[in-house]
Amino acid sequence: DIQMTQSPSPLSASVGDSVTITCRASQTISTYLNWYHHKPGKAPKLLIYDASSLHSGVPSRFSGSGSGTDFTLTISSLQPEDFATYYCQQSYSLPYTFGQGTKLEIK
Amino acid sequence: QVHLQESGPGLVKPSQTLSLTCTVSGGSISGGPYFWSWIRQPAGKGLEWIGRIYTGGSTNYSPSLQSRVTMSVDTSKNQFSLNLNSVTAADTAVYYCARVSSMDYYMDVWGSGTTVTVSS
């Protein structure tokens, strides 16, 4: 299985800040990397697919980059609703695997 | 807009079978090139992919659960299902269903999850 490792966790920031979350794959996954936003009791939401493509309806303050083994999710100008847990997920090969999650907390 | 909703017992006894159903609304389960997946999250832990099924019935399961998992799809009811047998306390989790794009295999629609506790 491909192991996905996220950093940092947790991450503390304030409304209006810009933050970056990193995800590293244990082997190359091209750009088959997706990012999700998750709040307790809610459905996870797709933010970014194919490493850098913004999912429909997702605000443009979210952006993704990377290829191979190293990827980043950047959120510019944090809004109150952005404080949640973020997961990366590889869809390069089965079984799909997720990072351990990065909890973004209000400073 | 497609919406997914999980349903099933919230409490299952050890060694028994966990059975969940995901109902698809707002679109046909056969209406596009999608897979349908189950994912779970034990309390305080991350997300674990369980498996996927195509509307034609082909399946792929996580190797760690493959010996205990069965997925099926009922296109007449617009539903797909998960059966996990011989459950233990380690199977206690929130279970999510999700739609998976058959292009880049991202999960673009999720249910809100259902909590299943394994306990006697």
Side-chain angles (χ1 to χ4, degrees):
Chain A
D1 299 4
I2 298 175
Q3 305 303 314
M4 308 300 294
T5 304
Q6 290 181 231
S7 61
S9 188
L11 174 59
S12 297
S14 302
V15 173
D17 287 351
S18 176
V19 297
T20 295
I21 299 169
T22 296
C23 179
R24 175 165 288 176
S26 61
Q27 65 186 74
T28 183
I29 57 171
S30 184
T31 58
Y32 287 89
L33 191 283
N34 312 304
W35 289 98
Y36 302 88
H37 163 286
H38 189 207
K39 288 191 170 183
K42 303 276 191 173
K45 293 183 179 180
L46 176 66
L47 300 171
I48 301 285
Y49 64 94
D50 199 27
S52 60
S53 297
L54 196 66
H55 182 52
S56 175
V58 175
S60 58
R61 63 180 180 273
F62 291 91
S63 63
S65 66
S67 66
T69 60
D70 294 312
F71 303 86
T72 59
L73 172 71
T74 298
I75 314 170
S76 61
S77 189
L78 279 169
Q79 300 300 300
E81 60 269 28
D82 298 336
F83 292 92
T85 300
Y86 292 84
Y87 293 94
C88 62
Q89 175 242 336
Q90 65 81 18
S91 53
Y92 179 79
S93 68
L94 296 177
Y96 302 141
T97 46
F98 294 85
Q100 78 276 23
T102 293
K103 186 174 183 180
L104 178 56
E105 303 172 330
I106 298 177
K107 186 182 291 183
Chain B
Q1 186 161 352
V2 173
H3 178 75
L4 305 183
Q5 182 65 60
E6 306 87 352
S7 60
L11 181 65
V12 181
K13 287 181 166 47
S15 80
Q16 293 191 344
T17 297
L18 179 161
S19 296
L20 297 174
T21 296
C22 183
T23 301
V24 180
S25 58
S28 171
I29 197 170
S30 304
Y34 297 111
F35 291 89
W36 304 90
S37 252
W38 289 95
I39 303 97
R40 69 182 183 179
Q41 183 175 34
K45 296 188 177 182
L47 297 165
E48 178 185 18
W49 180 76
I50 299 170
R52 70 180 189 183
I53 185 167
Y54 197 62
T55 46
S58 63
T59 55
N60 301 99
Y61 302 134
S62 172
S64 65
L65 296 170
Q66 185 163 2
S67 62
R68 299 193 291 129
V69 171
T70 305
M71 294 182 184
S72 60
V73 62
D74 186 336
T75 55
S76 68
K77 294 183 178 179
N78 232 29
Q79 293 176 334
F80 62 104
S81 298
L82 167 71
N83 279 351
L84 180 66
N85 62 37
S86 304
V87 297
T88 69
D91 296 308
T92 295
V94 178
Y95 285 76
Y96 297 95
C97 57
R99 187 178 78 173
V100 184
S101 165
S102 63
M103 293 294 291
D104 290 327
Y105 308 112
Y106 50 83
M107 301 173 203
D108 64 343
V109 182
W110 294 65
S112 57
T114 188
T115 300
V116 179
T117 301
V118 178
S119 176
S120 55

Short mmCIF file of all heavy atoms in Angstrom, two decimals, chain A residues 1 32 34 36 38-39 41-46 48-50 55 87 89 91 94-101, chain B residues 35 37 39 41 45-49 52 60-63 96 100-101 103-108 110-113:
data_model
loop_
_atom_site.label_atom_id
_atom_site.label_comp_id
_atom_site.label_asym_id
_atom_site.label_seq_id
_atom_site.Cartn_x
_atom_site.Cartn_y
_atom_site.Cartn_z
N ASP A 1 0.84 -1.19 0.00
CA ASP A 1 0.00 0.00 0.00
C ASP A 1 0.88 1.26 0.00
O ASP A 1 1.97 1.27 0.55
CB ASP A 1 -0.89 0.05 1.25
CG ASP A 1 -1.84 -1.13 1.38
OD1 ASP A 1 -1.77 -2.04 0.51
OD2 ASP A 1 -2.63 -1.14 2.34
N TYR A 32 -2.07 11.96 -9.02
CA TYR A 32 -3.29 11.34 -8.51
C TYR A 32 -3.44 11.62 -7.01
O TYR A 32 -3.43 10.70 -6.17
CB TYR A 32 -3.29 9.84 -8.78
CG TYR A 32 -3.52 9.51 -10.23
CD1 TYR A 32 -2.45 9.41 -11.12
CD2 TYR A 32 -4.81 9.30 -10.73
CE1 TYR A 32 -2.66 9.10 -12.46
CE2 TYR A 32 -5.03 8.98 -12.07
CZ TYR A 32 -3.95 8.89 -12.91
OH TYR A 32 -4.16 8.60 -14.24
N ASN A 34 -5.64 13.93 -4.09
CA ASN A 34 -6.86 14.69 -3.82
C ASN A 34 -6.84 15.21 -2.39
O ASN A 34 -6.23 14.60 -1.50
CB ASN A 34 -8.07 13.79 -4.03
CG ASN A 34 -7.99 13.03 -5.34
OD1 ASN A 34 -7.86 13.64 -6.41
ND2 ASN A 34 -8.05 11.71 -5.29
N TYR A 36 -9.29 16.83 0.86
CA TYR A 36 -10.64 16.91 1.42
C TYR A 36 -10.64 17.74 2.68
O TYR A 36 -9.66 17.78 3.43
CB TYR A 36 -11.18 15.51 1.75
CG TYR A 36 -11.22 14.57 0.57
CD1 TYR A 36 -10.11 13.79 0.25
CD2 TYR A 36 -12.34 14.48 -0.26
CE1 TYR A 36 -10.12 12.93 -0.84
CE2 TYR A 36 -12.36 13.63 -1.35
CZ TYR A 36 -11.25 12.86 -1.63
OH TYR A 36 -11.26 12.02 -2.73
N HIS A 38 -12.89 18.27 6.25
CA HIS A 38 -13.82 17.48 7.04
C HIS A 38 -14.05 18.11 8.39
O HIS A 38 -13.10 18.42 9.12
CB HIS A 38 -13.28 16.05 7.23
CG HIS A 38 -14.25 15.12 7.83
ND1 HIS A 38 -13.87 14.01 8.55
CD2 HIS A 38 -15.61 15.10 7.82
CE1 HIS A 38 -14.94 13.36 8.96
NE2 HIS A 38 -16.02 14.00 8.52
N LYS A 39 -15.33 18.26 8.70
CA LYS A 39 -15.73 18.71 10.04
C LYS A 39 -16.50 17.59 10.72
O LYS A 39 -17.23 16.84 10.06
CB LYS A 39 -16.59 19.97 9.93
CG LYS A 39 -15.82 21.21 9.54
CD LYS A 39 -16.65 22.46 9.70
CE LYS A 39 -15.79 23.70 9.53
NZ LYS A 39 -16.56 24.95 9.74
N GLY A 41 -19.07 15.17 12.23
CA GLY A 41 -20.50 15.02 12.01
C GLY A 41 -20.98 15.43 10.63
O GLY A 41 -22.17 15.35 10.34
N LYS A 42 -20.04 15.85 9.79
CA LYS A 42 -20.42 16.29 8.44
C LYS A 42 -19.78 15.37 7.40
O LYS A 42 -18.85 14.63 7.68
CB LYS A 42 -19.92 17.72 8.20
CG LYS A 42 -20.42 18.73 9.20
CD LYS A 42 -21.78 19.23 8.83
CE LYS A 42 -22.16 20.44 9.68
NZ LYS A 42 -23.42 21.04 9.23
N ALA A 43 -20.28 15.47 6.19
CA ALA A 43 -19.67 14.74 5.09
C ALA A 43 -18.35 15.41 4.70
O ALA A 43 -18.28 16.64 4.60
CB ALA A 43 -20.61 14.74 3.89
N PRO A 44 -17.30 14.63 4.50
CA PRO A 44 -16.08 15.22 3.94
C PRO A 44 -16.39 15.87 2.60
O PRO A 44 -17.28 15.44 1.87
CB PRO A 44 -15.16 14.00 3.76
CG PRO A 44 -15.65 13.01 4.77
CD PRO A 44 -17.15 13.20 4.80
N LYS A 45 -15.64 16.93 2.29
CA LYS A 45 -15.87 17.65 1.04
C LYS A 45 -14.60 17.64 0.20
O LYS A 45 -13.52 17.94 0.70
CB LYS A 45 -16.28 19.10 1.33
CG LYS A 45 -17.62 19.25 2.00
CD LYS A 45 -17.97 20.72 2.18
CE LYS A 45 -19.32 20.90 2.84
NZ LYS A 45 -19.67 22.32 3.03
N LEU A 46 -14.75 17.33 -1.08
CA LEU A 46 -13.63 17.39 -2.01
C LEU A 46 -13.28 18.85 -2.28
O LEU A 46 -14.15 19.65 -2.61
CB LEU A 46 -14.00 16.69 -3.31
CG LEU A 46 -12.98 16.74 -4.45
CD1 LEU A 46 -11.73 15.95 -4.08
CD2 LEU A 46 -13.59 16.21 -5.74
N ILE A 48 -9.75 19.69 -3.84
CA ILE A 48 -8.79 19.67 -4.95
C ILE A 48 -8.68 18.23 -5.45
O ILE A 48 -8.58 17.30 -4.65
CB ILE A 48 -7.40 20.14 -4.48
CG1 ILE A 48 -7.44 21.56 -3.91
CG2 ILE A 48 -6.37 20.01 -5.62
CD1 ILE A 48 -7.58 22.65 -4.93
N TYR A 49 -8.68 18.04 -6.75
CA TYR A 49 -8.41 16.73 -7.33
C TYR A 49 -7.30 16.84 -8.36
O TYR A 49 -6.99 17.94 -8.84
CB TYR A 49 -9.68 16.11 -7.95
CG TYR A 49 -10.24 16.89 -9.12
CD1 TYR A 49 -9.90 16.55 -10.43
CD2 TYR A 49 -11.11 17.96 -8.93
CE1 TYR A 49 -10.39 17.25 -11.51
CE2 TYR A 49 -11.61 18.67 -10.00
CZ TYR A 49 -11.26 18.31 -11.28
OH TYR A 49 -11.75 19.02 -12.35
N ASP A 50 -6.70 15.72 -8.65
CA ASP A 50 -5.59 15.70 -9.62
C ASP A 50 -4.51 16.71 -9.24
O ASP A 50 -3.96 17.40 -10.10
CB ASP A 50 -6.14 15.98 -11.03
CG ASP A 50 -5.17 15.54 -12.12
OD1 ASP A 50 -4.38 14.61 -11.87
OD2 ASP A 50 -5.19 16.15 -13.21
N HIS A 55 -12.17 21.76 -7.29
CA HIS A 55 -13.49 21.13 -7.48
C HIS A 55 -14.54 22.23 -7.61
O HIS A 55 -14.42 23.30 -7.01
CB HIS A 55 -13.81 20.22 -6.30
CG HIS A 55 -15.11 19.50 -6.41
ND1 HIS A 55 -15.47 18.75 -7.52
CD2 HIS A 55 -16.15 19.41 -5.54
CE1 HIS A 55 -16.66 18.23 -7.32
NE2 HIS A 55 -17.10 18.63 -6.13
N TYR A 87 -7.53 16.23 4.76
CA TYR A 87 -6.93 14.93 4.40
C TYR A 87 -6.48 14.95 2.95
O TYR A 87 -7.19 15.43 2.07
CB TYR A 87 -7.95 13.80 4.55
CG TYR A 87 -8.37 13.51 5.97
CD1 TYR A 87 -9.51 14.09 6.51
CD2 TYR A 87 -7.63 12.64 6.76
CE1 TYR A 87 -9.91 13.82 7.81
CE2 TYR A 87 -8.02 12.36 8.07
CZ TYR A 87 -9.16 12.95 8.58
OH TYR A 87 -9.54 12.67 9.87
N GLN A 89 -5.39 12.24 -0.16
CA GLN A 89 -5.73 10.87 -0.55
C GLN A 89 -5.11 10.58 -1.90
O GLN A 89 -5.23 11.39 -2.82
CB GLN A 89 -7.25 10.69 -0.62
CG GLN A 89 -7.71 9.33 -1.14
CD GLN A 89 -8.51 9.43 -2.42
OE1 GLN A 89 -9.11 10.46 -2.72
NE2 GLN A 89 -8.53 8.35 -3.19
N SER A 91 -5.08 8.42 -5.34
CA SER A 91 -5.94 7.57 -6.17
C SER A 91 -5.14 6.99 -7.32
O SER A 91 -5.68 6.66 -8.38
CB SER A 91 -7.15 8.37 -6.67
OG SER A 91 -6.74 9.57 -7.31
N LEU A 94 -4.82 1.04 -6.06
CA LEU A 94 -5.59 0.44 -4.99
C LEU A 94 -4.67 -0.29 -4.01
O LEU A 94 -3.68 -0.89 -4.44
CB LEU A 94 -6.61 -0.55 -5.57
CG LEU A 94 -7.68 0.04 -6.47
CD1 LEU A 94 -8.58 -1.08 -7.03
CD2 LEU A 94 -8.52 1.06 -5.73
N PRO A 95 -4.99 -0.26 -2.73
CA PRO A 95 -6.13 0.43 -2.11
C PRO A 95 -5.88 1.94 -2.00
O PRO A 95 -4.75 2.37 -1.75
CB PRO A 95 -6.19 -0.21 -0.73
CG PRO A 95 -4.76 -0.57 -0.42
CD PRO A 95 -4.17 -0.97 -1.72
N TYR A 96 -6.93 2.72 -2.22
CA TYR A 96 -6.81 4.15 -1.97
C TYR A 96 -6.37 4.35 -0.53
O TYR A 96 -6.83 3.64 0.37
CB TYR A 96 -8.15 4.86 -2.17
CG TYR A 96 -8.78 4.69 -3.54
CD1 TYR A 96 -10.15 4.51 -3.67
CD2 TYR A 96 -8.01 4.71 -4.71
CE1 TYR A 96 -10.75 4.38 -4.92
CE2 TYR A 96 -8.60 4.57 -5.96
CZ TYR A 96 -9.97 4.40 -6.05
OH TYR A 96 -10.55 4.25 -7.28
N THR A 97 -5.51 5.29 -0.29
CA THR A 97 -5.06 5.57 1.07
C THR A 97 -5.08 7.06 1.35
O THR A 97 -4.88 7.88 0.44
CB THR A 97 -3.65 5.01 1.32
OG1 THR A 97 -2.78 5.37 0.22
CG2 THR A 97 -3.67 3.49 1.45
N PHE A 98 -5.31 7.39 2.60
CA PHE A 98 -5.41 8.76 3.07
C PHE A 98 -4.23 9.10 3.98
O PHE A 98 -3.66 8.23 4.66
CB PHE A 98 -6.70 8.96 3.88
CG PHE A 98 -7.97 8.81 3.10
CD1 PHE A 98 -8.54 7.56 2.89
CD2 PHE A 98 -8.62 9.92 2.57
CE1 PHE A 98 -9.71 7.41 2.18
CE2 PHE A 98 -9.80 9.79 1.85
CZ PHE A 98 -10.35 8.54 1.67
N GLY A 99 -3.90 10.38 4.03
CA GLY A 99 -3.01 10.85 5.06
C GLY A 99 -3.71 10.79 6.41
O GLY A 99 -4.92 10.58 6.49
N GLN A 100 -2.94 11.03 7.47
CA GLN A 100 -3.51 10.91 8.81
C GLN A 100 -4.36 12.12 9.19
O GLN A 100 -5.02 12.11 10.23
CB GLN A 100 -2.38 10.70 9.84
CG GLN A 100 -1.62 11.97 10.22
CD GLN A 100 -0.50 12.31 9.24
OE1 GLN A 100 -0.50 11.91 8.08
NE2 GLN A 100 0.47 13.09 9.73
N GLY A 101 -4.34 13.15 8.37
CA GLY A 101 -5.14 14.34 8.62
C GLY A 101 -4.34 15.46 9.26
O GLY A 101 -3.42 15.21 10.05
N PHE B 35 -17.69 4.87 -9.82
CA PHE B 35 -17.64 3.81 -8.84
C PHE B 35 -18.35 4.33 -7.59
O PHE B 35 -18.55 5.52 -7.44
CB PHE B 35 -16.19 3.46 -8.47
CG PHE B 35 -15.40 2.80 -9.58
CD1 PHE B 35 -14.70 3.55 -10.50
CD2 PHE B 35 -15.37 1.42 -9.67
CE1 PHE B 35 -13.98 2.95 -11.50
CE2 PHE B 35 -14.64 0.79 -10.67
CZ PHE B 35 -13.94 1.56 -11.58
N SER B 37 -18.17 3.86 -3.33
CA SER B 37 -17.21 3.40 -2.32
C SER B 37 -17.75 3.47 -0.91
O SER B 37 -18.68 4.22 -0.62
CB SER B 37 -15.93 4.28 -2.38
OG SER B 37 -14.85 3.59 -2.93
N ILE B 39 -16.04 4.05 3.03
CA ILE B 39 -14.87 4.51 3.77
C ILE B 39 -15.29 4.55 5.24
O ILE B 39 -16.46 4.81 5.56
CB ILE B 39 -14.46 5.94 3.33
CG1 ILE B 39 -14.19 6.00 1.83
CG2 ILE B 39 -13.27 6.44 4.13
CD1 ILE B 39 -15.35 6.49 1.00
N GLN B 41 -14.12 5.64 9.53
CA GLN B 41 -13.25 6.42 10.39
C GLN B 41 -13.49 6.03 11.84
O GLN B 41 -14.49 6.46 12.43
CB GLN B 41 -13.48 7.91 10.19
CG GLN B 41 -12.54 8.79 11.01
CD GLN B 41 -12.71 10.25 10.71
OE1 GLN B 41 -13.80 10.74 10.44
NE2 GLN B 41 -11.61 11.00 10.77
N LYS B 45 -9.29 8.58 14.79
CA LYS B 45 -8.34 8.10 13.77
C LYS B 45 -8.69 8.69 12.41
O LYS B 45 -9.66 9.43 12.25
CB LYS B 45 -8.35 6.57 13.73
CG LYS B 45 -7.87 5.93 15.03
CD LYS B 45 -7.71 4.43 14.88
CE LYS B 45 -7.18 3.81 16.15
NZ LYS B 45 -6.97 2.34 16.02
N GLY B 46 -7.89 8.33 11.43
CA GLY B 46 -8.08 8.85 10.09
C GLY B 46 -9.05 8.02 9.27
O GLY B 46 -9.68 7.09 9.75
N LEU B 47 -9.13 8.37 8.00
CA LEU B 47 -10.06 7.72 7.07
C LEU B 47 -9.43 6.45 6.50
O LEU B 47 -8.25 6.45 6.12
CB LEU B 47 -10.41 8.68 5.94
CG LEU B 47 -11.14 9.96 6.37
CD1 LEU B 47 -11.12 10.99 5.25
CD2 LEU B 47 -12.58 9.64 6.76
N GLU B 48 -10.23 5.41 6.41
CA GLU B 48 -9.77 4.12 5.85
C GLU B 48 -10.71 3.71 4.73
O GLU B 48 -11.92 3.56 4.93
CB GLU B 48 -9.75 3.03 6.92
CG GLU B 48 -9.34 1.67 6.38
CD GLU B 48 -9.44 0.56 7.41
OE1 GLU B 48 -10.13 0.73 8.43
OE2 GLU B 48 -8.81 -0.50 7.19
N TRP B 49 -10.16 3.51 3.53
CA TRP B 49 -10.96 3.06 2.40
C TRP B 49 -11.27 1.58 2.54
O TRP B 49 -10.37 0.77 2.82
CB TRP B 49 -10.18 3.32 1.10
CG TRP B 49 -10.88 2.89 -0.14
CD1 TRP B 49 -11.93 3.52 -0.77
CD2 TRP B 49 -10.57 1.76 -0.96
NE1 TRP B 49 -12.28 2.84 -1.91
CE2 TRP B 49 -11.47 1.76 -2.05
CE3 TRP B 49 -9.62 0.74 -0.87
CZ2 TRP B 49 -11.45 0.79 -3.05
CZ3 TRP B 49 -9.59 -0.23 -1.86
CH2 TRP B 49 -10.51 -0.20 -2.94
N ARG B 52 -14.75 -0.53 -3.31
CA ARG B 52 -15.56 0.16 -4.31
C ARG B 52 -16.29 -0.86 -5.15
O ARG B 52 -15.85 -2.01 -5.28
CB ARG B 52 -14.70 1.07 -5.18
CG ARG B 52 -13.79 0.32 -6.12
CD ARG B 52 -12.94 1.23 -6.99
NE ARG B 52 -12.23 0.46 -8.02
CZ ARG B 52 -11.37 0.98 -8.90
NH1 ARG B 52 -11.10 2.28 -8.85
NH2 ARG B 52 -10.80 0.23 -9.80
N ASN B 60 -13.68 -4.01 -5.91
CA ASN B 60 -12.31 -4.02 -5.41
C ASN B 60 -12.39 -3.73 -3.92
O ASN B 60 -13.09 -2.81 -3.52
CB ASN B 60 -11.44 -2.96 -6.09
CG ASN B 60 -11.36 -3.12 -7.58
OD1 ASN B 60 -12.06 -2.45 -8.33
ND2 ASN B 60 -10.50 -4.02 -8.04
N TYR B 61 -11.64 -4.51 -3.14
CA TYR B 61 -11.68 -4.34 -1.69
C TYR B 61 -10.28 -4.07 -1.15
O TYR B 61 -9.27 -4.48 -1.73
CB TYR B 61 -12.24 -5.59 -1.02
CG TYR B 61 -13.63 -5.99 -1.46
CD1 TYR B 61 -13.92 -7.32 -1.77
CD2 TYR B 61 -14.64 -5.04 -1.58
CE1 TYR B 61 -15.20 -7.70 -2.16
CE2 TYR B 61 -15.92 -5.41 -1.99
CZ TYR B 61 -16.19 -6.74 -2.28
OH TYR B 61 -17.45 -7.11 -2.68
N SER B 62 -10.24 -3.41 0.01
CA SER B 62 -8.98 -3.24 0.70
C SER B 62 -8.44 -4.61 1.11
O SER B 62 -9.19 -5.43 1.66
CB SER B 62 -9.18 -2.38 1.95
OG SER B 62 -8.00 -2.37 2.73
N PRO B 63 -7.17 -4.87 0.85
CA PRO B 63 -6.60 -6.18 1.22
C PRO B 63 -6.78 -6.50 2.70
O PRO B 63 -6.95 -7.67 3.06
CB PRO B 63 -5.12 -6.03 0.85
CG PRO B 63 -5.11 -5.03 -0.25
CD PRO B 63 -6.20 -4.05 0.11
N TYR B 96 -18.84 5.91 5.96
CA TYR B 96 -19.28 6.84 4.92
C TYR B 96 -19.41 6.10 3.60
O TYR B 96 -18.60 5.22 3.29
CB TYR B 96 -18.26 7.95 4.71
CG TYR B 96 -18.01 8.85 5.90
CD1 TYR B 96 -16.96 8.60 6.78
CD2 TYR B 96 -18.81 9.97 6.12
CE1 TYR B 96 -16.72 9.44 7.85
CE2 TYR B 96 -18.58 10.82 7.20
CZ TYR B 96 -17.52 10.54 8.06
OH TYR B 96 -17.30 11.37 9.13
N VAL B 100 -17.26 7.91 -6.60
CA VAL B 100 -15.88 8.00 -7.07
C VAL B 100 -15.87 8.21 -8.57
O VAL B 100 -16.44 7.41 -9.33
CB VAL B 100 -15.10 6.71 -6.74
CG1 VAL B 100 -13.62 6.87 -7.15
CG2 VAL B 100 -15.20 6.38 -5.26
N SER B 101 -15.22 9.27 -9.01
CA SER B 101 -15.07 9.51 -10.43
C SER B 101 -14.25 8.40 -11.07
O SER B 101 -13.25 7.96 -10.51
CB SER B 101 -14.36 10.85 -10.66
OG SER B 101 -13.89 10.94 -11.98
N MET B 103 -12.61 8.79 -13.72
CA MET B 103 -11.52 9.41 -14.46
C MET B 103 -10.25 9.44 -13.61
O MET B 103 -9.29 8.77 -13.88
CB MET B 103 -11.91 10.84 -14.88
CG MET B 103 -13.02 10.86 -15.89
SD MET B 103 -12.51 10.15 -17.48
CE MET B 103 -11.35 11.40 -18.03
N ASP B 104 -10.25 10.22 -12.56
CA ASP B 104 -9.08 10.31 -11.70
C ASP B 104 -9.33 9.75 -10.30
O ASP B 104 -8.50 9.90 -9.42
CB ASP B 104 -8.61 11.77 -11.58
CG ASP B 104 -8.01 12.27 -12.87
OD1 ASP B 104 -7.40 11.47 -13.59
OD2 ASP B 104 -8.16 13.47 -13.18
N TYR B 105 -10.46 9.10 -10.14
CA TYR B 105 -10.78 8.33 -8.93
C TYR B 105 -10.84 9.18 -7.67
O TYR B 105 -10.51 8.71 -6.58
CB TYR B 105 -9.82 7.16 -8.76
CG TYR B 105 -9.73 6.32 -10.00
CD1 TYR B 105 -8.57 6.26 -10.76
CD2 TYR B 105 -10.85 5.61 -10.45
CE1 TYR B 105 -8.52 5.50 -11.93
CE2 TYR B 105 -10.79 4.84 -11.61
CZ TYR B 105 -9.63 4.80 -12.34
OH TYR B 105 -9.58 4.06 -13.48
N TYR B 106 -11.26 10.42 -7.80
CA TYR B 106 -11.48 11.23 -6.60
C TYR B 106 -12.93 11.02 -6.14
O TYR B 106 -13.81 10.66 -6.92
CB TYR B 106 -11.21 12.72 -6.88
CG TYR B 106 -11.90 13.26 -8.11
CD1 TYR B 106 -13.22 13.69 -8.07
CD2 TYR B 106 -11.21 13.37 -9.32
CE1 TYR B 106 -13.85 14.19 -9.20
CE2 TYR B 106 -11.83 13.87 -10.45
CZ TYR B 106 -13.14 14.28 -10.40
OH TYR B 106 -13.75 14.77 -11.52
N MET B 107 -13.15 11.25 -4.84
CA MET B 107 -14.47 11.04 -4.24
C MET B 107 -15.17 12.39 -4.15
O MET B 107 -14.86 13.19 -3.26
CB MET B 107 -14.31 10.38 -2.87
CG MET B 107 -13.59 9.04 -2.98
SD MET B 107 -13.21 8.31 -1.39
CE MET B 107 -11.85 7.24 -1.84
N ASP B 108 -16.10 12.64 -5.04
CA ASP B 108 -16.65 13.98 -5.17
C ASP B 108 -17.96 14.20 -4.44
O ASP B 108 -18.38 15.34 -4.25
CB ASP B 108 -16.78 14.39 -6.64
CG ASP B 108 -17.77 13.54 -7.41
OD1 ASP B 108 -18.12 12.44 -6.93
OD2 ASP B 108 -18.19 13.97 -8.50
N TRP B 110 -20.07 12.71 -0.91
CA TRP B 110 -20.01 11.85 0.28
C TRP B 110 -21.34 11.92 1.02
O TRP B 110 -22.02 12.95 1.03
CB TRP B 110 -18.93 12.33 1.24
CG TRP B 110 -17.52 12.21 0.78
CD1 TRP B 110 -16.93 12.87 -0.27
CD2 TRP B 110 -16.49 11.42 1.38
NE1 TRP B 110 -15.60 12.53 -0.35
CE2 TRP B 110 -15.30 11.65 0.65
CE3 TRP B 110 -16.44 10.55 2.47
CZ2 TRP B 110 -14.09 11.03 0.96
CZ3 TRP B 110 -15.25 9.94 2.80
CH2 TRP B 110 -14.08 10.18 2.05
N GLY B 111 -21.67 10.82 1.70
CA GLY B 111 -22.74 10.88 2.67
C GLY B 111 -22.23 11.49 3.96
O GLY B 111 -21.02 11.69 4.13
N SER B 112 -23.15 11.77 4.86
CA SER B 112 -22.76 12.41 6.13
C SER B 112 -22.29 11.41 7.17
O SER B 112 -21.83 11.80 8.24
CB SER B 112 -23.92 13.23 6.69
OG SER B 112 -25.06 12.41 6.86
N GLY B 113 -22.39 10.12 6.86
CA GLY B 113 -21.85 9.10 7.73
C GLY B 113 -22.85 8.53 8.72
O GLY B 113 -23.82 9.19 9.10
#
